[in-house]
Amino acid sequence: MHAQASYLLTVVTFLPLFSVAALLVLRSDDHVWIRRIAFAASVGEFAVSLLLLRGFDSTDASYQFQEFYNWIGPSIHYHMGIDGISLFLVLLTTFLTPLAILCSWKSIQHNVKGFFISLLVIETAMIGVFVSLDLFLFFVFWEITLVPMYFLIGIWGHERRIYAAVKFILYTMFGSILMLVAILWLYHLTGTFDLPVIENILANSAPLSPTVELVLFGAFFLAFAIKVPLFPLHTWLPDAHTDAPTAGSVILAGVMLKLGTYGMLRFCLPLFPAAAHKLAPMIGVLAIIGIVYGALVATVQHDLKRLVAYTSVSHLGFVVLGIFAFNAVAMQGAIYQMLNHGVSTGALFIVVGMLYDRRHTHEISEFGGLATPMPVLMALFIFIALSSLALPPLNGFIGEFLILIGTFATHHAWASWAASGAVLSAIYLLWAYQRVALGEVTVEKNRALPDASGRERFILGTLAVVILFMGIASPYFTRPMEPAADALLQQMNNQLQRPQNAMRRGVPVKIGPHAVVLPAALAERQARP
Amino acid sequence: MTAVTISLPEQIANLRRIAPEIVLCIFGMIVMIVDPFVKPASRRALGWLAFAGTLVALASVHVAAAEMGFAYSRLISTDNFSIFVHVIVIVAAGLAILGSIDYLDREGIQRGEYYALVLFATAGMGILAGANELITAFIGLEMSSISSYILCGFRRKAKESNEAAMKYFLLGSFATAFFLYGIAMIYGSTGTTFIDAAKAELERQLAANGHFPALAILGLGLIFVGLGFKVVAAPFQVYAPDVYEGAPSPVTALLASAPKAATFALMIRIFYVSFHSAGDIWFWVIWISAVLTMFIGNLGALVQTNVKRMLAYSSIAHAGYILVAFAASTELGIAAVLFYLAAYVLMKVGAFLVVTHVGQEGEKRLNLQDYAGLGMKQPALAACFSLFLLALLGLPATGGFLGKFFAFQGALDSARAHGGWVVALVIIAAVNSVIGAYYYVRVIVAMYFWPQSSDYTPTRVAPALVVALFIAAIGTLYLGIVPGRVHSLAESAAHSLPLQSAGSNGPSNAIVIAPPQNAR
């Protein structure tokens, strides 16, 4: 194990919290230095987190940079570690936070200190979720993410911010409290909160009875599905996004939604493989409904920010689909799409926020022909929109393509339905772009709007470079994911082939370089001469 | 009965075992004696004297802890369990006193007897925590209750304070009468009022007759009525919102926390020790009461716009969560109850002390509207209050979360004995804590998201209150982040109770030697 770097995850997790301490000593009306220190701290955090990349062994499927200390009593540990699934999610968090800070430079003018403290606390909590390998520790971070986000929406949000904030926190808390009961139940059954140990116990010595497994899976899945959000649990999302400040939306869409899909990958699948298999058809259908429904609803929005919010419902549907297709290719696609969505949708929200800073509205009808007064901003907008609608060779394409191709191998119908979502995304994004940017300037006061400032160019330019890089250099990202995804599927397979699960098991076959699990029926058909 | 001669060392050991009560009573009396000689303007010094009394009492807990064992013919049991509860109760009293000093000045009712009563009440709770005999427990209960009746009505000129005192007194007297009646029945069926001796006798009868004596069960029921009243368990909670709302806020802080801890301690001794073998019977009583308590508390709090009253309902709800752990009927359950009480006392006292301050003169500003914009006006105070509210809600990294966590864990752990019902109980508790989220969060919404109400001018937070809030906040965070030490203390406290059957093994063999009270 990589013992030499054993403090790195702790440092990466808690560094933002230390910068909060630095912010606390500043006078609260010293806005300039609060912003500078917050930005410097988050950039430093990003730099430190890059060390993870350097030390990461991308051929190793096991948890790396592990840290393990006793915390509370004999059964609760401070256990951290990352694998190919969580590595880039941590980096995504540390990458987006400085940009979120930078894009709030001018737009946040009251209670500045509280705002940046909230952002940094949320960063610590989210990284904590991604690196925790102890269910208790995980839950602590998981719940702590809610509070700063609640304040971000409630204090610095727009018109209906209080309603949105309360809805957000109650919705997500309801899901997570049942997960807490499930975690305690798992502890009751296994005597530990340590994830790898529980996996081991459930897989080998004390398998769950099918009913218990189903119930526990349900409790975990509900919490994650609300977070994702999976149709029909998505209704908090448009409200939260519409009324959140730009940075809040960036963090919410960019990272927080991924806590849900990450949770499915990390907990639902390895702990409860049989239940996951049993319910996968239903979940797949919900994901597809989410893809199509999210896209259709996005198309008819007249509020630009709400439109982008609904695209998240659609895109996260793809991710869930990729996860529950139980196929190495789709799973890698899903993990990759989590990153893509974070970057692209984060960028879209930043663009929307920049328009809001200028006009203080999200109504599409208030814009029109904006390419004339601000060509640079609109050029960056279309670039980002194209990445979001999955145009090759940009990043979105790789993710969706992997998901679709992987899903197709196991579920023809799912893939065909989901593909319609890719088409719809072109419709709503391009149409929105057309209404906002192209044609004559329709509202007179838009003529004088300033084009992107240096700061804004820097933010969007950085994101555009990353989008392009992720599009053409995708193997750089997918290679470390591959062993983890393969190992996860392998582990699920092993468990499904236990005698009592023989009825449900799939048969692994090789398609190209990737092991693919085919359902028994399909495998039979292939085996026929 | 022949006169029992007790040797001098034994006398001293006895005194040491009740050192905290002695200290509290002495300080209470000093306060009362000094009171007439102090000029009205400098009576607040008496508050500091009383606070010093709680500090000395806290130190004297060490004296008691060094001399574990039974005191005064087994009337008092000084064990880890009693020590743990003593600390909780004394800390709560100390914080309440700190919160009272400037409050009494503000309300113009600065009097020495107030502090004396708080100290006497605390001594009574200490006796409750250590009682190994039911009449002794009754004395402790009365000491704490009668003091609190008076404290409730301490704002003599305020109507609601008088109402609170009257209500609490009348209903409380009923409750203690029930308790006394219960004692009589248990004595009738077992021939003893000693908690551990009753255990042995009940087990003997169970083994001999194959069933529990009905009279004893009836007695247990009556005791539950009496003690359920004190811990505000449903259906005996009806008085709580009115009394808590009407009582002076620092008194409410004390009332909602310390007696609950002490009474739960006594309940644990009676239910877990005496009636250990009747666990299957009283499990259902606790189960039903827990569910009712949680729903009544949370649904009641949901519709309140008066923050003080909302917190009163919330303390009902918390009694429900504690009952969830109580239902476990295992050592883990006791540890969970104790830990929950420790965390609960800190966050509840803290929350009520904030209400004390924001209420301003005459306690007129108790409505949610008065908290609007507090986050901008008094950021530190609002941050403290948010912390307490989030802890009451059960957010991780606060003591409130770990309280719930251990409670749920303890309850689930007993699933083998109680089956699916205890799982259902935990799920009900979980759903309830989400209902709770709504009204706690609403106060935070008011403090941070609402525009600042114009007619509220913040007043400076007095240093004594700052200290109290600081201690409560640090304690809440401490229990949330590094709870290991306190939890292991709670575990050893739970372990110090003689739960196992007398005949089977170990520590409670001593019961046999207990002097039979009804020897004829």
Side-chain angles (χ1 to χ4, degrees):
Chain A
M1 206 42 60
H2 305 256
Q4 77 281 5
S6 60
Y7 295 111
L8 194 51
L9 280 181
T10 299
V11 172
V12 169
T13 309
F14 291 103
L15 195 59
L17 218 50
F18 275 102
S19 22
V20 165
L23 284 183
L24 278 175
V25 299
L26 282 180
R27 288 216 338 262
S28 52
D29 57 351
D30 191 357
H31 293 179
V32 177
W33 275 101
I34 290 173
R35 291 191 188 107
R36 283 180 187 165
I37 288 187
F39 182 64
S42 60
V43 170
E45 161 78 0
F46 179 56
V48 173
S49 70
L50 285 178
L51 292 178
L52 290 174
L53 207 54
R54 209 186 55 174
F56 193 85
D57 178 1
S58 51
T59 56
D60 188 354
S62 61
Y63 296 114
Q64 304 183 27
F65 300 104
Q66 287 202 50
E67 293 176 35
F68 189 91
Y69 307 101
N70 287 336
W71 183 15
I72 305 168
S75 51
I76 298 176
H77 305 287
Y78 178 85
H79 189 182
M80 287 180 163
I82 53 172
D83 63 357
I85 298 174
S86 43
L87 168 69
F88 284 110
L89 288 169
V90 172
L91 291 176
L92 176 71
T93 314
T94 58
F95 169 68
L96 281 180
T97 307
L99 295 180
I101 288 174
L102 211 52
C103 80
S104 333
W105 210 260
K106 293 254 168 62
S107 53
I108 301 299
Q109 289 298 346
H110 75 282
N111 216 333
V112 177
K113 191 163 149 182
F115 183 83
F116 289 113
I117 288 178
S118 299
L119 270 182
L120 290 170
V121 171
I122 221 173
E123 184 177 16
T124 284
M126 290 189 304
I127 295 173
V129 170
F130 289 134
V131 301
S132 297
L133 292 181
D134 182 278
L135 286 174
F136 182 89
L137 187 64
F138 160 78
F139 188 81
V140 168
F141 283 123
W142 172 269
E143 286 283 270
I144 289 179
T145 57
L146 298 182
V147 178
M149 183 48 90
Y150 164 73
F151 281 113
L152 280 184
I153 299 173
I155 299 181
W156 296 276
H158 307 310
E159 296 80 25
R160 299 215 307 157
R161 58 180 194 276
I162 297 178
Y163 170 77
V166 173
K167 192 170 178 180
F168 163 76
I169 199 163
L170 289 185
Y171 240 89
T172 38
M173 210 163 253
F174 178 76
S176 50
I177 198 78
L178 290 181
M179 178 165 75
L180 175 65
V181 178
I183 288 175
L184 284 167
W185 187 250
L186 269 180
Y187 168 74
H188 174 65
L189 294 171
T190 60
T192 176
F193 289 100
D194 197 77
L195 180 67
V197 179
I198 294 179
E199 276 177 30
N200 194 14
I201 291 176
L202 294 188
N204 301 317
S205 45
L208 299 170
S209 79
T211 330
V212 172
E213 184 174 351
L214 218 54
V215 170
L216 289 178
F217 175 84
F220 272 88
F221 186 77
L222 183 68
F224 297 140
I226 289 175
K227 201 78 156 193
V228 169
L230 188 68
F231 178 89
L233 304 167
H234 64 280
T235 57
W236 63 269
L237 178 99
D239 289 318
H241 267 311
T242 313
D243 290 305
T246 305
S249 294
V250 172
I251 297 297
L252 191 59
V255 189
M256 241 179 164
L257 305 187
K258 277 79 192 177
L259 300 183
T261 43
Y262 169 76
M264 293 177 186
L265 279 169
R266 177 67 81 224
F267 301 102
C268 283
L269 298 195
L271 293 178
F272 319 111
H277 261 266
K278 201 167 179 182
L279 292 179
M282 283 160 68
I283 296 166
V285 168
L286 287 180
I288 289 166
I289 294 177
I291 293 172
V292 178
Y293 169 86
L296 289 176
V297 177
T299 314
V300 297
Q301 294 302 316
H302 50 81
D303 179 315
L304 193 56
K305 204 168 182 191
R306 229 177 157 77
L307 186 150
V308 179
Y310 274 108
T311 68
S312 289
V313 177
S314 181
H315 284 144
L316 267 297
F318 271 106
V319 177
V320 175
L321 188 70
I323 293 173
F324 282 88
F326 301 127
N327 160 321
V329 181
M331 188 163 289
Q332 274 178 48
I335 304 168
Y336 198 46
Q337 188 64 5
M338 282 153 74
L339 305 180
N340 294 332
H341 177 264
V343 174
S344 305
T345 310
L348 276 179
F349 274 117
I350 290 175
V351 170
V352 174
M354 288 171 180
L355 292 178
Y356 185 86
D357 287 347
R358 290 169 168 73
R359 283 297 319 277
H360 292 283
T361 179
H362 293 135
E363 287 294 317
I364 295 179
S365 58
E366 286 287 315
F367 303 120
L370 289 186
T372 316
M374 30 189 177
V376 176
L377 185 55
M378 286 303 120
L380 288 164
F381 182 17
I382 188 66
F383 185 81
I384 292 161
L386 289 176
S387 105
S388 180
L389 64 80
L391 182 86
L394 301 181
N395 60 353
F397 168 72
I398 313 287
E400 285 193 11
F401 183 73
L402 286 175
I403 292 174
L404 287 176
I405 198 174
T407 312
F408 190 80
T410 50
H411 305 82
H412 291 333
W414 286 13
S416 334
W417 278 102
S420 71
V423 180
L424 287 170
S425 71
I427 295 176
Y428 59 72
L429 276 170
L430 291 179
W431 193 37
Y433 179 75
Q434 183 205 336
R435 284 181 291 165
V436 169
L438 302 182
E440 289 299 307
V441 175
T442 47
V443 179
E444 215 37 51
K445 57 180 164 182
N446 285 349
R447 255 180 227 292
L449 291 183
D451 201 353
S453 68
R455 175 179 59 89
E456 291 170 336
R457 283 176 205 210
F458 174 74
I459 301 173
L460 294 178
T462 312
L463 284 162
V465 169
V466 171
I467 285 171
L468 191 62
F469 180 70
M470 290 179 76
I472 50 188
S474 58
Y476 178 75
F477 295 92
T478 48
R479 205 179 308 124
M481 296 171 190
E482 202 177 314
D486 286 346
L488 175 55
L489 285 171
Q490 189 58 45
Q491 184 191 348
M492 290 182 64
N493 260 358
N494 291 344
Q495 289 197 50
L496 289 172
Q497 279 162 5
R498 287 197 316 249
Q500 71 266 38
N501 289 321
M503 298 299 289
R504 288 194 284 268
R505 76 157 180 256
V507 181
V509 299
K510 294 284 269 188
I511 296 184
H514 303 295
V516 173
V517 188
L518 295 186
L522 192 59
E524 231 167 70
R525 206 183 317 157
Q526 280 206 344
R528 244 178 270 150
Chain B
M1 206 172 262
T2 53
V4 186
T5 52
I6 303 173
S7 64
L8 187 64
E10 183 62 17
Q11 277 290 12
I12 292 172
N14 279 344
L15 288 174
R16 287 170 64 123
R17 283 172 190 144
I18 58 161
E21 283 78 25
I22 294 178
V23 168
L24 287 167
C25 287
I26 288 179
F27 268 87
M29 284 186 276
I30 293 178
V31 167
M32 291 192 92
I33 293 168
V34 172
D35 187 29
F37 304 104
V38 178
K39 278 197 294 260
S42 45
R43 281 212 191 112
R44 50 184 290 129
L46 295 173
W48 288 105
L49 181 63
F51 178 65
T54 58
L55 287 184
V56 177
L58 211 51
S60 71
V61 170
H62 280 284
V63 177
E67 194 73 60
M68 299 285 191
F70 289 106
Y72 296 108
S73 324
R74 310 175 58 81
L75 294 181
I76 297 276
S77 165
T78 301
D79 43 22
N80 279 331
F81 180 80
S82 153
I83 298 293
F84 193 93
V85 180
H86 267 90
V87 173
I88 295 180
V89 168
I90 295 171
V91 166
L95 294 179
I97 289 174
L98 280 181
S100 306
I101 297 176
D102 294 278
Y103 172 87
L104 295 180
D105 267 346
R106 191 183 82 196
E107 304 292 331
I109 44 173
Q110 187 74 262
R111 301 213 197 298
E113 63 262 32
Y114 177 93
Y115 302 110
L117 286 168
V118 171
L119 293 177
F120 290 144
T122 314
M125 296 174 214
I127 294 174
L128 269 182
N132 183 42
E133 198 265 348
L134 291 171
I135 301 292
T136 313
F138 178 74
I139 292 170
L141 193 67
E142 284 296 72
M143 260 178 96
S144 80
S145 299
I146 293 174
S147 308
S148 18
Y149 300 149
I150 307 171
L151 285 172
C152 276
F154 216 77
R155 279 166 66 216
R156 276 174 303 182
K157 297 198 177 97
K159 224 172 30 191
E160 60 273 17
S161 185
N162 281 309
E163 181 199 334
M166 205 60 193
K167 227 174 212 175
Y168 195 31
F169 169 62
L170 288 178
L171 295 173
S173 313
F174 262 115
T176 32
F178 272 105
F179 179 64
L180 209 51
Y181 208 178
I183 296 176
M185 293 197 171
I186 289 176
Y187 179 74
S189 63
T190 62
T192 176
T193 54
F194 281 88
I195 286 173
D196 47 6
K199 173 191 175 71
E201 173 62 21
L202 284 171
E203 274 164 13
R204 193 193 61 75
Q205 292 192 24
L206 180 65
N209 307 337
H211 62 85
F212 249 81
L215 199 59
I217 294 296
L218 196 58
L220 184 69
L222 291 175
I223 281 182
F224 181 67
V225 174
L227 298 185
F229 176 88
K230 293 287 167 195
V231 300
V232 287
F236 317 112
Q237 88 300 345
V238 187
Y239 75 100
D242 290 338
V243 171
Y244 287 9
E245 189 191 347
S249 292
V251 174
T252 312
L254 182 69
L255 214 57
S257 56
K260 200 174 271 188
T263 316
F264 262 118
L266 179 63
M267 263 175 84
I268 285 177
R269 279 195 199 269
I270 298 176
F271 281 65
Y272 275 64
V273 179
S274 292
F275 287 82
H276 188 254
S277 38
D280 294 337
I281 302 172
W282 58 256
F283 169 75
W284 292 106
V285 178
I286 300 294
W287 196 94
I288 293 167
S289 176
V291 171
L292 281 178
T293 312
M294 286 187 289
F295 274 113
I296 290 174
N298 279 315
L299 295 179
L302 215 50
V303 295
Q304 303 303 325
T305 53
N306 179 318
V307 175
K308 197 174 171 187
R309 199 172 170 83
M310 183 275 278
L311 285 175
Y313 273 104
S314 117
S315 69
I316 300 178
H318 280 272
Y321 302 134
I322 298 174
L323 285 173
V324 170
F326 198 102
S329 47
T330 56
E331 254 181 39
L332 211 58
I334 302 178
V337 171
L338 290 179
F339 188 90
Y340 202 110
L341 286 170
Y344 168 81
V345 159
L346 288 171
M347 59 205 188
K348 201 77 197 190
V349 172
F352 272 120
L353 289 186
V354 175
V355 171
T356 306
H357 178 78
V358 177
Q360 293 193 341
E361 199 184 331
E363 296 209 22
K364 293 203 175 67
R365 301 190 173 275
L366 300 174
N367 276 318
L368 205 51
Q369 192 58 47
D370 299 315
Y371 286 78
L374 194 70
M376 316 300 147
K377 290 180 204 155
Q378 291 181 299
L381 187 68
C384 263
F385 199 27
S386 306
L387 175 68
F388 298 135
L389 290 169
L390 290 173
L392 288 167
L393 190 167
L395 191 87
T398 66
F401 170 68
L402 277 147
K404 281 210 179 85
F405 180 83
F406 290 131
F408 293 178
Q409 185 185 342
L412 278 181
D413 195 63
S414 71
R416 274 201 194 89
H418 299 304
W421 286 100
V422 78
V423 180
L425 186 62
V426 170
I427 291 174
I428 292 172
V431 170
N432 262 286
S433 58
V434 180
I435 302 177
Y438 178 77
Y439 57 83
Y440 294 123
V441 158
R442 200 174 43 177
V443 182
I444 300 177
V445 166
M447 286 196 295
Y448 287 94
F449 305 167
W450 286 4
Q452 311 182 9
S453 66
S454 52
D455 63 335
Y456 173 80
T457 36
T459 47
R460 202 175 63 90
V461 186
L465 194 58
V466 171
V467 173
L469 291 176
F470 184 75
I471 295 172
I474 293 293
T476 304
L477 284 176
Y478 172 75
L479 290 182
I481 296 169
V482 273
R485 189 172 150 69
V486 176
H487 188 247
S488 67
L489 285 177
E491 275 177 336
S492 63
H495 194 68
S496 72
L497 289 181
L499 296 190
Q500 298 88 354
S501 295
S504 62
N505 53 349
S508 46
N509 280 343
I511 289 163
V512 185
I513 313 164
Q517 295 294 297
N518 57 342
R520 290 273 180 269

